[in-house]
Amino acid sequence: MKKVVFILIAILSISAFAQERLTLNDCYNLVETNYPLIKQHQLLKTQHQLDTEIISNSKLPQINLDAQATYQSDVIEIPIPNANINPLNKDQYKATLSVNQLIYNGGLTAANLKVKKAQFKTKQKQVDTNIYQLKAQINQLYFSVLLTQETFNLLEAKKKQLEAKLKEVQSGVKHGILLPSSDSVLEAELLKIKQQFIAIESQKTTLINTLSSLIGQSVSTATKFEKPLVKTELQTEISRPELDLFQLKKEEINSQEALISKQNSVKLNGFATGGYGNPGLNMLDNSFQSYYIVGVKLHWNVFDWNTNKKQQETVAISKDIIENETEIFKLNTNIELNKQQQEIEKISAFINSDEEIINLRKKVLKTLDSQLKNGVITSSVYVTEFTNLFEAENTLLRHKIQVQLAKANYNTIKGK
């Protein structure tokens, strides 16, 4: 029993731990699972099944029931004297049951089914493409939250340093080494830090709420966002879902061309009609009769004024348009990749200079720290340089997040 309880506690602990952490890939997977647009996959599948059944039903016998009653002003009479043939009644009645069966239509049904299947694949891929395009939003939100998280930690460190320095200054004021107002400057700076905490928490909450809506899962403000180590392969090969979409559109057009080519094919139907009426097929028998007709019907549109040919030309133009759209997409994507590559290189250069700036400011602050203890400078001078160091560290932090964001965007644009 104790072992079972221990296992349950361990599982709950692991689950709780997992829920307190979130990675960039988690967000990608969640948006692909929970975003409302994903429901269209099942809707499109159901729609395709119905379309397939509708087209396939053309192979089944078509049954029609008709009935009519008429009264006409005149009827046929036999102009033979003493023929002793009664004229037809002016009120006539007819009920028929007809059955039509498709025998041959030149593969038109199969071509229709191929068109519907191609359209279904295109629509499904369009949904995937739209969902993939959300990754850029995910990147921006995730790294923005990460920036607030890291800035908060940096502020915490700054706050602790200032609190420790405030105690030293208060001790110096108490022993008459420093001016009485020296501690007020540090206290004011701590109040400013408090305001910065409030601003960061508010910004983080807004970002997390937006991200939660996008990925379809509630994320707590206490959740730790893991810093991803984004790696990029700087190459021009693109593997975006849009390229698959363009290819499926071309396949859809090919299936439409095949359908158009079969529209003027010979069509053969068998039919049978059974009826009951007055008169029947024997127009000279003025009574209710049952009858039937069976036969086959051949239909061939011999000349359509080049309509079919023009339809194929129109479809061929659509294929050229898609080829052009593919070229434009590749061109624009490569332009975006080059921009992101330049952004990565630029920010990486900034990071190198940021580190040098921080080292220099740390040396200056160390000197000022000693001078403040001895009353050589005021607290205002120390706080100014301390703030400069914090801003330099914050800039470095921001650049490190930005370069990771640029790398993530590069991978997203490339389709990785």
Side-chain angles (χ1 to χ4, degrees), residues 1 76 83 101 106 114 177 179 191 222 283 322 329 385 393 398 401 411:
M1 183 65 184
I76 297 174
Q101 174 63 56
K114 287 182 179 179
I177 300 174
L179 296 174
L191 289 174
M283 299 295 292
I322 291 175
F329 176 79
E385 189 54 41
E393 290 176 335
R398 185 168 63 253
I401 298 295
N411 289 338

Side-chain angles (χ1 to χ4, degrees), residues 32-148:
E32 290 175 359
T33 304
N34 299 331
Y35 193 70
L37 187 62
I38 204 70
K39 296 177 183 178
Q40 287 193 16
H41 275 307
Q42 184 58 45
L43 294 173
L44 289 171
K45 185 177 180 181
T46 303
Q47 184 185 53
H48 176 62
Q49 289 174 344
L50 292 172
D51 288 339
T52 300
E53 290 173 6
I54 291 169
I55 295 172
S56 298
N57 284 344
S58 64
K59 299 178 181 179
L60 302 176
Q62 308 298 309
I63 302 173
N64 298 297
L65 176 64
D66 297 290
Q68 70 176 40
T70 62
Y71 183 87
Q72 53 196 67
S73 60
D74 204 356
V75 293
I76 297 174
E77 295 184 2
I78 306 298
I80 301 175
N82 302 318
N84 207 19
I85 299 175
N86 294 325
L88 294 175
N89 294 331
K90 292 185 177 181
D91 56 325
Q92 297 183 5
Y93 308 91
K94 181 171 66 174
T96 59
L97 180 67
S98 300
V99 179
N100 288 275
Q101 174 63 56
L102 175 66
I103 299 174
Y104 177 77
N105 66 354
L108 188 63
T109 301
N112 261 315
L113 288 172
K114 287 182 179 179
V115 169
K116 286 297 180 182
K117 186 174 183 179
Q119 289 175 343
F120 167 67
K121 289 182 177 179
T122 301
K123 290 176 181 178
Q124 290 276 46
K125 182 55 68 174
Q126 182 65 66
V127 172
D128 293 338
T129 300
N130 292 339
I131 291 175
Y132 182 84
Q133 290 170 352
L134 294 172
K135 290 180 73 173
Q137 289 180 252
I138 294 291
N139 291 343
Q140 190 63 49
L141 288 168
Y142 187 91
F143 284 99
S144 294
V145 174
L146 196 59
L147 180 59
T148 62

Side-chain angles (χ1 to χ4, degrees), residues 157-223:
K158 180 184 178 183
K159 177 186 172 186
K160 289 179 180 178
Q161 283 181 271
L162 277 180
E163 286 175 341
K165 184 56 62 180
L166 178 60
K167 289 181 180 180
E168 291 181 8
V169 170
Q170 287 174 339
S171 176
V173 171
K174 183 179 179 181
H175 293 89
I177 300 174
L178 301 175
L179 296 174
S181 61
S182 297
D183 57 345
S184 300
V185 176
L186 295 174
E187 288 175 349
E189 190 64 24
L190 284 169
L191 289 174
K192 285 173 62 178
I193 291 176
K194 186 177 181 181
Q195 291 177 334
Q196 290 174 327
F197 274 129
I198 294 171
I200 289 174
E201 283 295 337
S202 176
Q203 182 184 8
K204 183 179 180 181
T205 301
T206 301
L207 290 169
I208 286 179
N209 288 340
T210 305
L211 181 63
S212 297
S213 299
L214 203 57
I215 64 177
Q217 181 169 303
S218 179
V219 180
S220 168
T221 54
T223 300

Side-chain angles (χ1 to χ4, degrees), residues 7-20:
I7 293 172
L8 287 173
I9 292 174
I11 293 173
L12 290 173
S13 299
I14 293 171
S15 300
F17 179 79
Q19 291 173 357
E20 291 174 358

Side-chain angles (χ1 to χ4, degrees), residues 158-331:
K158 180 184 178 183
K159 177 186 172 186
K160 289 179 180 178
Q161 283 181 271
L162 277 180
E163 286 175 341
K165 184 56 62 180
L166 178 60
K167 289 181 180 180
E168 291 181 8
V169 170
Q170 287 174 339
S171 176
V173 171
K174 183 179 179 181
H175 293 89
I177 300 174
L178 301 175
L179 296 174
S181 61
S182 297
D183 57 345
S184 300
V185 176
L186 295 174
E187 288 175 349
E189 190 64 24
L190 284 169
L191 289 174
K192 285 173 62 178
I193 291 176
K194 186 177 181 181
Q195 291 177 334
Q196 290 174 327
F197 274 129
I198 294 171
I200 289 174
E201 283 295 337
S202 176
Q203 182 184 8
K204 183 179 180 181
T205 301
T206 301
L207 290 169
I208 286 179
N209 288 340
T210 305
L211 181 63
S212 297
S213 299
L214 203 57
I215 64 177
Q217 181 169 303
S218 179
V219 180
S220 168
T221 54
T223 300
K224 179 176 175 56
F225 284 66
E226 298 287 345
K227 286 193 288 187
L229 295 175
V230 183
K231 296 182 180 180
T232 58
E233 297 177 5
L234 301 180
Q235 55 188 23
T236 57
E237 183 180 353
I238 303 169
S239 56
R240 290 278 292 272
E242 287 89 343
L243 296 178
D244 295 331
L245 178 61
F246 288 135
Q247 182 60 37
L248 287 172
K249 284 183 177 180
K250 285 190 283 188
E251 291 176 7
E252 182 182 335
I253 289 176
N254 290 336
S255 65
Q256 288 174 347
E257 285 180 329
L259 175 63
I260 291 171
S261 68
K262 296 181 182 298
Q263 285 180 346
N264 289 340
S265 300
V266 174
K267 299 174 182 62
L268 185 65
N269 286 276
F271 64 89
T273 301
Y276 184 74
N278 181 5
L281 296 181
N282 184 0
M283 299 295 292
L284 300 179
D285 187 348
N286 193 16
S287 63
F288 280 93
Q289 307 166 38
S290 59
Y291 59 90
Y292 69 88
I293 301 173
V294 295
V296 292
K297 180 181 179 181
L298 179 71
H299 174 78
W300 183 24
N301 188 0
V302 179
F303 185 70
D304 65 351
W305 303 97
N306 285 330
T307 299
N308 191 276
K309 181 180 178 181
K310 292 175 181 177
Q311 286 177 334
Q312 291 193 8
E313 290 175 354
T314 300
V315 171
I317 292 173
S318 298
K319 190 185 293 186
D320 291 338
I321 291 173
I322 291 175
E323 288 285 358
N324 181 252
E325 289 177 347
T326 305
E327 291 177 8
I328 293 172
F329 176 79
K330 288 181 177 179
L331 175 63

